[in-house]
Amino acid sequence: MTQQGKPTQIDRDYVRLLMAMRRFVRDEFETTIAISETEATIKLLDYAERSRNAVLQEMGKELHSMLKPEATIKQQAQTSQKVHYYRGAAQVVTGDTQAAATRSADTAPGKQRIYRGRVVVG
């Protein structure tokens, strides 16, 4: 995460989830949270934990899972030897992928074939 509680890439599902959670929080707690606030996601997660609405609680779990993988990728990237960036997102390169990269480099010198962010062998 680049900032506290914000993913590096924002997609439509993330924004839709924030907007829906905002509506539920406004209806139940009579509090308006602006998406442009710096700690909007943290506040939404806090309200989701305190909510009696099961749908809002599930949305909070989904939002938490959207934010958590970013942190685990960064932790794995720090321990791993090689990090590959594909379309701006960090991807951890495992030993199997490194072995495939070396095999493909052996078969075709100077050429590496990559399909959808993965090294293709053969």
Side-chain angles (χ1 to χ4, degrees), residues 17-79:
L17 182 63
L18 289 181
M19 297 300 283
M21 287 180 71
R22 226 179 112 218
R23 278 185 244 121
F24 278 108
V25 167
R26 184 178 55 221
D27 292 342
E28 186 175 350
F29 296 102
E30 298 177 359
T31 297
T32 304
I33 297 174
I35 299 297
S36 60
E37 290 181 28
T38 57
E39 297 182 355
T41 54
I42 296 169
K43 288 181 181 179
L44 287 172
L45 287 171
D46 182 47
Y47 279 114
E49 288 177 4
R50 294 189 286 154
S51 176
R52 289 178 276 151
N53 187 344
V55 175
L56 183 57
Q57 291 174 355
E58 288 298 318
M59 287 181 175
K61 290 176 185 176
E62 185 178 345
L63 179 63
H64 185 67
S65 68
M66 282 182 161
L67 298 176
K68 191 173 182 177
E70 299 276 335
T72 57
I73 286 176
K74 284 192 176 183
Q75 288 173 355
Q76 290 174 354
Q78 291 173 354
T79 60

Side-chain angles (χ1 to χ4, degrees), residues 8 10 13 16 29 36 41-42 45 47 49 63 75 82 88 92-93 95-96 100 102 108 113:
T8 54
I10 298 175
D13 295 332
R16 286 181 185 153
F29 296 102
S36 60
T41 54
I42 296 169
L45 287 171
Y47 279 114
E49 288 177 4
L63 179 63
Q75 288 173 355
K82 185 175 180 183
V92 178
V93 178
D96 297 336
T102 57
R113 294 177 48 198

Side-chain angles (χ1 to χ4, degrees), residues 75-92:
Q75 288 173 355
Q76 290 174 354
Q78 291 173 354
T79 60
S80 178
Q81 294 177 352
K82 185 175 180 183
V83 177
H84 176 72
Y85 288 94
Y86 179 70
R87 294 189 178 179
Q91 296 178 347
V92 178

